[in-house]
Amino acid sequence: MTVHFVGAGPGAADLITLRAASLLAAADVVLYPGTYLDAEVLAHCPDARQVDTQRLDLDQITAVMVSAASDGLEVVRLTSGDPSLYSALAEQTARLDATGVAWDVCPGVPAYAAAAAVVGRELTVPLVAQSVVLTRTQARSTAMPASESLAAFAATRATLVLHLAITRTRSLADSLAQEYGSDCPAVVVHRASQPDELVLRGTLADIADRVESAGLRQAAVILVGWALARDGGESWLYTAGRARSTP
């Protein structure tokens, strides 16, 4: 049998793909990250055995998947957002490969996309920012590569999307202000698309105060950059004067 790694999107039950819903409906066992997922997502698999992985390590999670697959059961491993970002996909699939269990991946709506949708902003604005950096910071989690310093990313003045960084908002804002300016827009979106969604809008000068006042400690995305101000040029692709080839 195959273990399906499925992106559960930002958390809302109606922000998963049709393919994800089909895989969940057919699943016998579903492993899910209880810390980040709205329980309504599990309504897509009411008859499956549901395993909350928030207190399990990778070896324990793998053991559940391998055991179920060996018993001929359909297994779905839900990840928050999209499996391509911070999902431990590499570690889990390496363990499955070592045991000979087949697996595949179903993409999902990434959290940063849901956050941008909530605040109604395009992250790439002409003449302002045409690149988006998806990154995180060093805290209690895995060490960051030496070549991926936040200062280096900030020097590009691209739009920054910071995951797993909410507890370090103050130090990050102080550091980023040196490149972007203290009046640069900063937005924090907590649990985008979920019932307890919270949006904090500010600048690098005051966003940390807002985060601390709200008591946020997890499940939030930080957006930083001048693209969030919306002011900029217009895309050349859609300008009336652009030369167009005739069929």
Side-chain angles (χ1 to χ4, degrees), residues 106-133:
C106 174
V109 177
Y112 80 88
V118 168
V119 300
R121 289 293 185 269
E122 181 182 359
L123 303 183
T124 54
V125 173
L127 305 181
V128 177
Q130 290 290 282
S131 301
V132 178
V133 176

Side-chain angles (χ1 to χ4, degrees), residues 1 65-73:
M1 303 302 289
M65 293 190 292
V66 170
S67 175
S70 298
D71 289 339
L73 302 178

Side-chain angles (χ1 to χ4, degrees), residues 115 119 122-124 128-129 131-135 150 153-154 156-163 165 169 172-189 200 202-205 207 221-229:
V119 300
E122 181 182 359
L123 303 183
T124 54
V128 177
S131 301
V132 178
V133 176
L134 309 175
T135 189
L150 193 59
F153 290 140
T156 69
R157 295 177 68 86
T159 304
L160 287 184
V161 178
L162 294 161
H163 294 262
T169 303
L172 291 173
D174 290 343
S175 174
L176 293 174
Q178 297 178 34
E179 291 291 346
Y180 290 91
S182 60
D183 57 341
C184 178
V187 179
V188 169
V189 183
L200 304 176
T203 66
L204 289 175
I207 195 65
V221 174
I222 305 172
L223 308 175
V224 176
W226 285 102
L228 298 172

Side-chain angles (χ1 to χ4, degrees), residues 12-13 44 53 72 77 80 88 100 104 106 117 147 166 188 219 224 229 247:
H44 290 285
T53 61
R77 170 58 167 133
S80 59
D104 59 23
C106 174
S147 59
I166 195 64
V188 169
V224 176

Side-chain angles (χ1 to χ4, degrees), residues 6 36 41 52 54 59 62 85 118 121 126 136 139 143 155 181 209 224 231 238 244-245 247:
V6 175
Y36 300 103
V41 173
D52 187 348
Q54 64 178 309
D59 289 331
T62 303
L85 291 175
V118 168
R121 289 293 185 269
R136 64 173 182 81
D209 292 334
V224 176
D231 300 323
Y238 299 108
R244 300 179 184 275
S245 59

